[in-house]
Amino acid sequence: MHFGYYRVGANPLRREAMLEQMNAEVLARLQVSSTEQPHLLDLGCGLGASLRSFARRLPRARLTGLTRVPWQVERARELNQDAGCSDRVSIIEGDYEGTGLPSAAYDGLYALESSCHAHGTDKSDLLAEAHRLLQPGGRLVVADGFLAGSRFASALQERIYRKLCECWIIEELAQLPRFVARLEQLGFTGITVEHLQMRVAPSVAHIPWVTLKFLLTDVVFGKTEMTRARWNNVLAPVLLPLVSAPLGPMIYSMISAKKRDREGEARLYAPMAAPAGS
């Protein structure tokens, strides 16, 4: 279940338009429109929908998606072929916490509702790998659910949160202060945190209808078998409002940061001049 971005004046009933707007917002924050042939990497691309969106908007871009799920690689490649962009969009199987891809090879990296699956409360390994992969001056954008703090309203709410993580196969959501602190430790600059709770709320309101539609068309009147994973995907959206702001500490945020350029790195690591006369 992905979340869309609502702009004032848009039709809140058009879920697909909001999903596409979220892609546009991520792309705008990558700031690659002036780059002649930008190379972008999607960290946790799923079926590659955002990559195909970027391919339409950036006809000269080189686009790569990374996922750990073999069937997603196969299906995403089929969808790229159908969309006529398979020559510019590559999907590869791999772990985004240790990709094995060349260092400093990308103008921009993004993780759209995928960073939550990384390890730790600061997603340290993911962010370190992102820093390695980015060219100096390249940008990282992460849009996802975070914990604004570690406190829950009650023990029951914390158990609901743990069940939600289990349903979505999440070890732990990032704690926003620790996530930002790790970006700073790695040397990212221009870190911007945008709280998008109200921007995604209209798309969240579609969840009950989308879930009901799936149950009716695919299960009751279809041939889809309700596996444990599918039941979890039905249960998770029901639990989500119980742990999200304003009831709980879970929020939706978009975080942008820039890898220090070469001049900045030189200034950061240059030895201090000896005092005069020493």
Side-chain angles (χ1 to χ4, degrees):
M1 182 64 65
H2 289 286
F3 303 112
Y5 186 103
Y6 175 74
R7 291 180 66 91
V8 176
N11 185 347
L13 300 179
R14 296 183 61 197
R15 179 170 173 268
E16 289 299 325
M18 290 188 286
L19 292 173
E20 179 60 23
Q21 186 61 45
M22 180 65 81
N23 293 332
E25 298 295 330
V26 171
L27 183 56
R29 286 156 181 79
L30 288 170
Q31 297 183 11
V32 294
S33 58
S34 61
T35 304
E36 183 177 354
Q37 194 177 21
H39 196 181
L40 303 179
L41 176 64
D42 184 339
L43 298 167
C45 66
L47 297 180
S50 61
L51 290 166
R52 289 185 291 277
S53 172
F54 291 1
R56 293 191 296 270
R57 296 168 183 270
L58 299 172
R60 295 179 59 82
R62 293 175 295 155
L63 305 167
T64 304
L66 187 74
T67 175
R68 295 183 63 180
V69 185
W71 72 262
Q72 289 184 344
V73 174
E74 181 179 349
R75 181 58 180 147
R77 288 173 177 171
E78 292 173 354
L79 292 170
N80 292 344
Q81 185 71 37
D82 293 343
C85 60
S86 57
D87 59 328
R88 293 184 295 117
V89 180
S90 301
I91 307 295
I92 58 178
E93 183 180 345
D95 183 352
Y96 62 16
E97 292 179 303
T99 65
L101 296 170
S103 298
Y106 299 91
D107 300 291
L109 274 65
Y110 66 97
L112 180 50
E113 295 164 14
S114 60
S115 70
C116 55
H117 297 287
H119 295 96
T121 56
D122 63 355
K123 309 305 179 186
S124 176
D125 291 344
L126 170 62
L127 295 183
E129 182 68 352
H131 188 270
R132 183 186 71 82
L133 292 170
L134 276 173
Q135 293 184 15
R139 296 183 63 82
L140 170 69
V141 177
V142 177
D144 217 328
F146 292 84
L147 293 181
S150 57
R151 293 188 177 183
F152 293 87
S154 64
L156 174 60
Q157 189 180 68
E158 184 170 4
R159 287 199 296 273
I160 293 172
Y161 163 72
R162 297 297 173 189
K163 183 61 179 178
L164 175 68
C165 290
E166 177 188 326
C167 288
W168 276 340
I169 320 176
I170 296 170
E171 179 185 282
E172 185 83 61
L173 286 178
Q175 291 185 19
L176 188 56
R178 294 187 178 187
F179 187 90
V180 172
R182 183 58 180 152
L183 286 170
E184 293 171 343
Q185 290 166 4
L186 286 166
F188 281 99
T189 63
I191 301 169
T192 302
V193 179
E194 301 172 77
H195 299 308
L196 303 183
Q197 200 74 6
M198 297 309 296
R199 294 290 190 181
V200 302
S203 68
V204 173
H206 285 254
I207 290 176
W209 162 244
V210 172
T211 303
L212 179 62
K213 181 181 177 182
F214 165 75
L215 290 174
L216 290 175
T217 60
D218 289 54
V219 180
V220 177
F221 298 109
K223 298 181 180 180
T224 299
E225 180 184 354
M226 282 303 292
T227 63
R228 172 61 65 87
R230 290 194 174 103
W231 277 120
N232 283 341
N233 281 328
V234 170
L235 176 60
V238 177
L239 301 177
L240 184 62
L242 303 178
V243 295
S244 299
L247 298 181
M250 185 174 170
I251 59 174
Y252 193 101
S253 299
M254 186 177 293
I255 301 173
S256 310
K258 177 183 176 181
K259 181 175 179 178
R260 201 180 301 271
D261 59 28
R262 286 189 175 90
E263 271 190 33
E265 287 180 338
R267 289 194 298 270
L268 180 66
Y269 296 113
M272 293 181 63
S278 61

